[in-house]
């Protein structure tokens, strides 16, 4: 039986109806310190009825309880503290892990219902930013967490490939573009054109008008406009796909904003038929005053659509196509207002499923304490940064373990894993400073640190020629193993908490704590000592490895067997 249930039922028996088992269950707490036991019952709630002090009640309860199922039951102040049977818990946790292996902690909460995850979504003709990296790795991890809990996830890359800026870019290309240069170095060249034409448009409204006109042509299906736009898109995707390959991230649906260009009339018609559109200086807006939000601009004076118009069409399309139970948008904190407006307009349209949409914002990354900015040309070359992470990992391997087979592959796993892990261990709303040296270090709270703990276990198991078996009789004389058992037991809950809060950092922090606890165990206990506990110790660290690997997998980080 689950330990908390066991405690609740034991207490219910002696309380004889004064509190129900369910109520007791709800009151149970985790003691503040491990020395105080595993489960605590606070006696306050009984004080009034029994007309005794909580301290006295706790004392009495502790004396009366049947201690058979526990190692110890004692009163500390107003709490009854239960020390669960270490040997029972150890056996049940380990056998659970060995039987289920990587499926330990999996659940079927989702019944395979669909969760759509809008993630990554870089803008074509612009560099893949560090914000898009965050969205990519967060989205990937959230997808893995929800799959683990039995949902079917649909990862969607809502590429930014439509809008007036591409009209301006065509204008720039027509004026100064050089096809060969763009083909050789697409994003850099297109960015240059973009910066130049924006500066010009500011000075000269005619340039701006021209850009607008090109975008209108795009919206009307003009062949030349679409040909140039498609080319910009294709060359951009070549670069983006290289980054996805390096990160090992794939998508189920790769549809940019342009995909919705023919689906927006329907939205505008619905808004019209529901009397939600108002004219404002020639443009069409939805008033959102009752939500305390600015009006949503749906259509400009010249008839061009906007980002939010496309997102409205997208949301409706996703509901129709995937009938999602949750629709998640992993997009930076700058767009909080946009997503509030989006939801509010959908609510106004009468779509109650807008309640199932959640914006998952995240904080900003800096470098040397300064903001990254595309406009000012202070762009991180993300692809180069990933390559550098791999180089650094390779150097460290060459130092530590030059004989390692598959060095390049492992360096890839460690370098990329380091960047991903560092990003994900940060509370999502916090930003962080992009510092490769810290990320790729084997010390501190890093991906390589966790990977290294896993590889070390594998090497011990190889040395011992260990074969896992769920039926080994486990026994530990001391208590050194107990911290690990408690942590392993917390893994399923940890996954649920992370999914619930859309917070992979919960899993990343857990992985660090587990790796640290293993390293302490390794420092204090001679695992390979020949005595009758050896198999138990090996089985324990085998279980730790299963969970470490699965925690890393949930973050999208690989676990090399050797490094
Ligand atoms: N392309 C946008 C950007 O880079 C993000 C798009 C997010 N997804 C969405 N459905 N709006 O800012």
């Amino acid at each position: 039986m689950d330990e908390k249930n066991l405690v609740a039922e034991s207490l219910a028996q002696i309380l004889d109806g004064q509190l129900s088992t369910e109520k007791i269950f709800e009151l149970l707490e985790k003691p503040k310190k491990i020395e105080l036991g595993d489960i605590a019952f606070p006696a306050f709630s009984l004080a009034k009825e029994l007309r005794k002090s909580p301290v006295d009640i706790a004392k009495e309860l502790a004396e009366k309880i049947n201690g058979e199922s526990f190692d110890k039951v004692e009163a500390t102040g107003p709490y009854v503290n239960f020390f669960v049977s270490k040997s029972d818990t150890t056996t049940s946790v380990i056998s659970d892990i060995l039987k289920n292996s990587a499926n330990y902690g999996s659940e079927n909460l989702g019944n395979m219902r669909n969760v759509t995850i809008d993630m990554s979504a870089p803008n074509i003709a612009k560099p893949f930013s560090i914000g898009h990296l965050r969205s990519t790795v967060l989205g990937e991890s959230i997808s893995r967490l929800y799959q683990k809990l039995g949902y079917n996830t649909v990862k969607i890359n809502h590429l930014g490939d439509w809008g007036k800026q591409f009209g301006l870019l065509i204008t720039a290309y027509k004026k100064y573009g050089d096809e060969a240069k763009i083909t050789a170095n697409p994003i850099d060249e297109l960015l240059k054109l973009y910066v130049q034409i924006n500066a010009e448009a500011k000075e000269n409204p005619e340039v701006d008008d021209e850009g607008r006109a090109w975008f209108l042509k795009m919206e009307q299906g003009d062949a030349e406009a679409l040909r140039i736009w498609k080319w910009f898109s294709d060359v951009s995707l070549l670069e983006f796909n290289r980054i996805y390959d390096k990160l090992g991230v794939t998508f189920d649906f790769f549809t940019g904003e342009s995909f919705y260009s023919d689906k927006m009339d329907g939205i505008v018609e619905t808004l019209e038929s529901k009397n939600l559109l108002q004219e404002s200086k020639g443009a069409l807006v939805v008033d959102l005053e009752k939500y305390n939000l600015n009006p949503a601009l749906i259509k400009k004076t010249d008839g061009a659509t906007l980002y939010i118009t496309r997102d409205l069409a997208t949301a409706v399309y996703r509901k129709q196509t995937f009938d999602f139970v949750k629709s998640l948008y992993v997009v930076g904190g700058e767009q909080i207002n946009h997503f509030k407006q989006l939801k509010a307009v959908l609510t106004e349209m009468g779509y109650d499923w807008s309640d199932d949409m959640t914006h998952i914002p995240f904080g900003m990354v800096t470098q040397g304490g300064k903001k990254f900015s595309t406009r000012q040309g202070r762009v991180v070359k993300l692809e180069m940064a990933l390559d550098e992470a791999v180089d650094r990992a390779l150097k460290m391997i060459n130092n530590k373990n030059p004989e390692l087979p598959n060095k390049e592959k492992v360096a890839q796993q460690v370098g990329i894993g380091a960047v991903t892990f560092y990003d994900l261990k940060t509370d999502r709303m916090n930003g962080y400073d992009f510092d490769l040296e810290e990320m790729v270090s084997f010390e501190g709270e890093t991906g390589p640190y966790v990977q290294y703990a896993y590889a070390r276990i594998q090497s011990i198991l190889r040395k011992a020629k260990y074969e896992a078996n769920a039926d080994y009789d486990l026994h530990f004389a001391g208590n050194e193993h107990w911290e690990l058992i408690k942590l392993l037991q917390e893994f399923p809950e940890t996954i649920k908490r992370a999914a619930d809060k859309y917070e992979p950092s919960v899993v990343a922090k857990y992985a660090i704590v587990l790796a640290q606890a293993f390293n302490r165990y390794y420092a204090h206990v001679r695992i390979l000592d020949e005595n009758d506990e050896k198999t138990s110790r090996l089985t324990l660290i085998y279980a730790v490895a299963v969970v470490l690997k699965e925690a890393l997998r949930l973050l999208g980080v690989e676990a090399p067997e050797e490094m």
Side-chain angles (χ1 to χ4, degrees):
M1 186 177 359
D2 171 59
E3 296 151 356
K4 246 174 118 180
N5 279 316
L6 186 68
V7 169
E9 279 185 15
S10 314
L11 279 167
Q13 237 168 37
I14 52 169
L15 281 169
D16 201 23
Q18 268 155 342
L19 279 178
S20 70
T21 316
E22 293 75 42
K23 182 75 197 151
I24 298 171
F25 190 91
E26 273 169 33
L27 288 170
L28 294 178
E29 296 175 11
K30 191 175 153 176
K32 309 267 171 309
K33 289 191 222 141
I34 192 167
E35 301 85 60
L36 290 174
D38 305 293
I39 297 169
F41 173 74
F44 308 100
S45 49
L46 291 165
K48 213 169 170 192
E49 214 180 310
L50 300 178
R51 295 190 196 172
K52 280 187 206 151
S53 80
V55 175
D56 289 338
I57 298 171
K59 228 185 257 161
E60 267 172 43
L61 290 176
E63 274 161 22
K64 275 196 221 156
I65 209 118
N66 176 358
E68 252 169 48
S69 324
F70 304 100
D71 280 356
K72 192 163 74 176
V73 181
E74 71 183 15
T76 308
Y79 290 93
V80 188
N81 290 328
F82 293 81
F83 296 73
V84 301
S85 158
K86 289 192 177 58
S87 65
D88 289 358
T89 304
T90 299
T91 305
S92 79
V93 171
I94 300 269
S95 84
D96 203 4
I97 297 172
L98 266 74
K99 276 188 200 130
N100 290 296
S101 200
N103 286 324
Y104 176 60
S106 299
E107 282 200 48
N108 184 14
L109 301 179
N111 251 316
M112 287 316 265
R113 287 168 307 169
N114 285 338
V115 174
T116 58
I117 307 177
D118 186 305
M119 56 186 263
S120 199
N123 303 313
I124 61 165
K126 282 209 197 153
F128 191 101
S129 78
I130 190 80
H132 297 119
L133 175 80
R134 290 214 79 181
S135 169
T136 308
V137 299
L138 277 164
E140 177 66 26
S141 178
I142 290 169
S143 165
R144 290 175 186 224
L145 287 165
Y146 274 85
Q147 278 180 4
K148 178 101 181 152
L149 297 178
Y151 291 88
N152 181 51
T153 60
V154 185
K155 295 185 283 176
I156 305 175
N157 197 335
H158 189 73
L159 207 62
D161 64 358
W162 207 247
K164 188 197 134 196
Q165 68 271 32
F166 301 106
L168 259 181
L169 202 57
I170 295 177
T171 309
Y173 176 66
K174 286 267 167 189
K175 280 179 116 166
Y176 332 95
D178 178 333
E179 188 176 334
K181 271 191 183 166
I182 295 177
T183 307
N185 205 353
I187 305 253
D188 282 351
E189 287 304 317
L190 291 173
L191 181 64
K192 265 189 223 156
L193 286 180
Y194 180 75
V195 171
Q196 185 179 0
I197 203 73
N198 266 294
E200 227 173 282
K202 245 190 201 159
E203 301 289 305
N204 181 357
E206 269 166 41
V207 172
D208 205 45
D209 289 344
E210 223 176 299
R212 224 192 312 265
W214 273 113
F215 179 50
L216 265 184
K217 280 191 184 178
M218 282 167 59
E219 295 224 276
Q220 287 154 0
D222 176 84
E224 188 188 10
L226 289 180
R227 186 180 50 79
I228 304 175
W229 161 82
K230 176 80 169 45
W231 177 52
F232 291 162
S233 177
D234 289 345
V235 290
S236 304
L237 278 173
L238 286 177
E239 286 207 32
F240 297 163
N241 281 328
R242 275 206 310 274
I243 294 180
Y244 295 134
D245 280 350
K246 287 186 179 164
L247 292 172
V249 172
T250 57
F251 299 91
D252 302 303
F253 222 66
F254 210 121
T255 37
E257 294 181 34
S258 62
F259 179 77
Y260 301 94
S261 59
D262 63 354
K263 298 175 182 58
M264 281 178 287
D265 288 347
I267 292 293
V268 176
E269 275 160 29
T270 312
L271 287 168
E272 234 150 36
S273 72
K274 300 198 171 178
N275 271 326
L276 292 168
L277 286 179
Q278 292 181 359
E279 248 191 68
S280 166
K281 296 178 208 139
L284 293 176
V285 305
V286 177
D287 183 85
L288 298 174
E289 212 186 316
K290 73 172 176 206
Y291 297 87
N292 249 326
L293 295 166
N294 289 327
L297 181 53
I298 302 293
K299 217 170 184 177
K300 289 203 209 162
T301 323
D302 62 8
T305 59
L306 289 118
Y307 183 50
I308 195 164
T309 327
R310 293 187 283 281
D311 254 331
L312 286 166
T314 306
V316 172
Y317 179 85
R318 284 183 191 164
K319 184 64 194 176
Q320 283 167 354
T321 310
F322 302 110
D323 193 24
F324 54 71
V325 285
K326 275 174 188 289
S327 171
L328 310 178
Y329 293 81
V330 188
V331 185
E334 328 77 63
Q335 295 193 28
I336 287 182
N337 212 52
H338 167 75
F339 284 102
K340 280 189 182 158
Q341 289 185 315
L342 178 62
K343 270 182 88 153
V345 175
L346 289 165
T347 308
E348 285 298 282
M349 291 169 88
Y351 297 131
D352 54 1
W353 47 261
S354 62
D355 287 343
D356 304 324
M357 288 166 55
T358 306
H359 176 209
I360 302 172
F362 51 81
M364 205 159 35
V365 181
T366 54
Q367 191 168 43
K370 287 206 190 90
K371 189 173 152 181
F372 293 112
S373 153
T374 317
R375 291 275 162 75
Q376 284 135 38
R378 217 171 348 97
V379 183
V380 215
K381 297 278 173 190
L382 192 65
E383 201 179 346
M384 274 163 68
L386 293 177
D387 291 344
E388 196 191 325
V390 175
D391 276 352
R392 281 171 185 257
L394 188 60
K395 280 204 191 90
M396 288 168 55
I397 294 168
N398 278 330
N399 268 335
K400 282 196 155 197
N401 188 2
E403 305 301 310
L404 180 72
N406 288 322
K407 265 195 278 194
E408 272 74 27
K409 170 102 192 291
V410 176
Q412 199 82 25
Q413 295 172 323
V414 173
I416 301 294
V419 176
T420 306
F421 190 93
Y422 200 89
D423 188 293
L424 293 178
K425 77 152 189 189
T426 312
D427 290 3
R428 128 173 101 64
M429 281 313 283
N430 293 343
Y432 60 88
D433 205 61
F434 196 90
D435 178 349
L436 278 177
E437 178 153 352
E438 198 178 324
M439 291 173 172
V440 190
S441 165
F442 278 64
E443 274 134 55
E445 303 180 346
T446 66
Y449 177 83
V450 179
Q451 287 172 321
Y452 194 65
Y454 174 81
R456 175 175 271 167
I457 296 176
Q458 294 310 318
S459 121
I460 300 170
L461 295 174
R462 274 193 303 271
K463 211 182 265 172
K465 299 199 167 50
Y466 174 78
E467 302 246 356
N469 184 337
D471 299 326
Y472 285 139
D473 225 350
L474 301 175
H475 51 100
F476 295 92
N479 281 335
E480 288 89 354
H481 69 296
W482 187 235
E483 188 189 10
L484 285 171
I485 295 292
K486 297 282 286 181
L487 283 170
L488 294 174
Q489 191 181 25
E490 279 168 22
F491 187 52
E493 250 173 70
T494 306
I495 296 166
K496 274 189 263 182
R497 196 154 15 99
D500 218 44
K501 302 205 278 186
Y502 310 111
E503 190 67 270
S505 66
V506 170
V507 172
K509 286 175 185 154
Y510 170 87
I512 293 166
V513 171
L514 183 59
Q516 287 168 339
F518 163 72
N519 281 332
R520 268 194 299 278
Y521 184 75
Y522 177 76
H524 288 122
V525 176
R526 288 209 301 249
I527 298 173
L528 289 171
D529 245 14
E530 290 300 338
N531 59 27
D532 62 350
E533 272 180 34
K534 182 176 164 193
T535 307
S536 299
R537 289 191 298 267
L538 290 169
T539 305
L540 169 66
I541 66 167
Y542 174 86
V544 171
V546 168
V547 172
L548 279 179
K549 184 176 185 178
E550 180 60 3
L552 287 173
R553 190 193 67 79
L554 288 171
L555 300 168
V557 175
E558 292 185 70
E561 297 296 303
E562 211 181 330
M563 62 191 266

